Amino acid sequence: MKTTRKVLIPLLLLAALVAGLYGYFLYAPKPALPVLSAALQHKRIELGGLQRDYASYIPAKLPANAPLVFVLHGSLQTIDDIRTFSAYEFERLADQHGFIVVYPQGFEKNWNDCRRTADYPARTQNIDDKGLIAALIQRFASQHGADPQRAFLAGYSNGGQLGLRIALENPTLLAGVAAFAANLPSDDNLDCQASGQPVPVLLMNGTRDPINPYNGGVVTLFGVGNRGTVRSAYESALYFANLAGYPRDAVHSSVVWSEPTRRDQRVSLDQWQASGQPEVALYSVIGGGHLLPQAGFRAPRLLGPTLSGFDGPQVIWDFFARQRPAPASR
């Protein structure tokens, strides 16, 4: 009996320690689903011999020629994950402002972005994710009357990297891109053919991001899965500002939000904006982690702090809503 106790007690203590660590660093309760006017629809589209899954939210009272907003999950995530991480806010905003939300599913939970070093199947098999977005734009235009000239993409982490790839290579496909928890790959890690044409781009990055370094450097998934190096958040924004023709001193900088009880938590905005030029914006989430700041969901602490007082989805939609792209053939 004493021998059994000597073995059992350490095991119980270890189990309690593991449970405690899981509860603190990994557990994140799902947000409550808001009252919405319609239900999420799950469908498939065939592209390049592959059946690609996607989900869409179409408000019950959808106006004619409605905008289209793609929301892309991060690496190793699913459609359900990005809905959780954004606390269903894009669907609530769709009801409020009259646009369609589309959640595509990445190939084996990843996207084929520009990072040369990345070795997940979407890249090694050269999956046509740009073609997927283009095909879905046409499907929603033909089936639901969406405006193909007002298609936007908001992407988290690896999903944001795909958005940056489209901004670089196919800038007329989308009327604007918002990438959060993602920086532009550095030249040595860039495996894209940049068009050199400008496009409206918003970046939203946390200064305490443990995966995508705010100040640039190597991207890893907590020390494994090397995705190569990226530029700093500011250098990434400056790249697109230069494409848009802004002089270096054209940036307007301000603090747009601060936590009253935490001096180390605030959001600053670096913005390049002028009539007739594509807008570029960098929201620096001071004290924020690898996530989208919003009030409805506290991400696992392993990803860094969640700044719940700043409404990231609303800011992204506001950015999309004020873009007025000129008509162009696709």
Side-chain angles (χ1 to χ4, degrees), residues 217-237:
V218 180
V219 177
T220 66
L221 300 177
F222 306 105
V224 298
N226 189 335
R227 305 287 166 86
T229 56
V230 293
R231 306 177 189 217
S232 71
Y234 190 82
E235 289 171 336
S236 300

Side-chain angles (χ1 to χ4, degrees), residues 40-44 53-57 71 79 83 100-105 136 140:
L40 194 72
Q41 303 177 35
H42 291 268
K43 293 187 178 181
R44 286 183 172 179
D53 293 320
Y54 68 92
S56 62
Y57 179 76
V71 181
I79 291 167
R83 294 180 72 217
I100 299 172
V101 184
V102 183
Y103 300 100
Q105 177 62 51
L136 287 172
F140 279 88

Side-chain angles (χ1 to χ4, degrees), residues 83 114 142 201 242:
R83 294 180 72 217
C114 283
S142 62
V201 170
N242 289 336

Side-chain angles (χ1 to χ4, degrees), residues 1-268:
M1 180 67 73
K2 289 183 178 180
T3 302
T4 303
R5 285 181 180 175
K6 287 182 179 179
V7 174
L8 190 58
I9 290 174
L11 288 175
L12 290 173
L13 290 174
L14 179 61
L17 177 62
V18 170
L21 291 173
Y22 172 83
Y24 186 80
F25 287 107
L26 294 175
Y27 176 69
K30 295 193 71 168
L33 187 68
V35 176
L36 300 169
S37 69
L40 194 72
Q41 303 177 35
H42 291 268
K43 293 187 178 181
R44 286 183 172 179
I45 187 171
E46 184 175 348
L47 184 71
L50 295 175
Q51 293 291 329
R52 303 296 302 270
D53 293 320
Y54 68 92
S56 62
Y57 179 76
I58 304 174
K61 296 181 179 179
L62 187 71
N65 299 312
L68 189 61
V69 177
F70 292 93
V71 181
L72 272 57
H73 63 75
S75 178
L76 304 179
Q77 286 193 325
T78 64
I79 291 167
D80 188 54
D81 290 328
I82 191 57
R83 294 180 72 217
T84 297
F85 270 56
S86 57
Y88 314 109
E89 278 296 287
F90 288 104
E91 291 157 55
R92 184 189 64 79
L93 289 167
D95 267 349
Q96 183 178 350
H97 298 283
F99 61 86
I100 299 172
V101 184
V102 183
Y103 300 100
Q105 177 62 51
F107 179 77
E108 297 190 17
K109 300 183 179 181
N110 279 107
W111 303 102
N112 184 7
D113 62 37
C114 283
R115 294 174 293 183
R116 179 178 287 112
T117 307
D119 60 357
Y120 36 81
R123 273 199 52 76
T124 58
Q125 298 183 39
N126 196 27
I127 298 301
D128 186 12
D129 285 327
K130 294 187 300 178
L132 173 65
I133 300 301
L136 287 172
I137 290 173
Q138 294 307 315
R139 170 170 285 194
F140 279 88
S142 62
Q143 295 184 358
H144 302 284
D147 184 354
Q149 305 298 329
R150 289 196 296 161
F152 303 93
L153 186 149
Y156 169 52
S157 193
N158 180 210
Q161 290 288 349
L162 178 60
L164 294 177
R165 177 174 190 171
I166 294 174
L168 287 172
E169 295 190 326
N170 300 84
T172 61
L173 181 63
L174 297 167
V177 169
F180 45 101
N183 289 343
L184 194 65
S186 54
D187 288 341
D188 64 305
N189 192 35
L190 187 65
D191 194 25
C192 285
Q193 297 296 319
S195 71
Q197 299 179 42
V199 63
V201 170
L202 177 150
L203 296 167
M204 187 178 293
N205 289 318
T207 62
R208 293 178 59 186
D209 189 325
I211 296 174
N212 178 72
Y214 176 84
N215 291 315
V218 180
V219 177
T220 66
L221 300 177
F222 306 105
V224 298
N226 189 335
R227 305 287 166 86
T229 56
V230 293
R231 306 177 189 217
S232 71
Y234 190 82
E235 289 171 336
S236 300
L238 190 60
Y239 175 90
F240 290 103
N242 289 336
L243 280 185
Y246 291 100
R248 183 171 287 270
D249 60 355
V251 62
H252 175 74
S253 302
S254 61
V255 175
V256 294
W257 176 86
S258 60
E259 173 57 57
T261 61
R262 294 285 302 271
R263 297 181 65 182
D264 60 336
Q265 292 188 351
R266 62 188 185 279
V267 178
S268 65

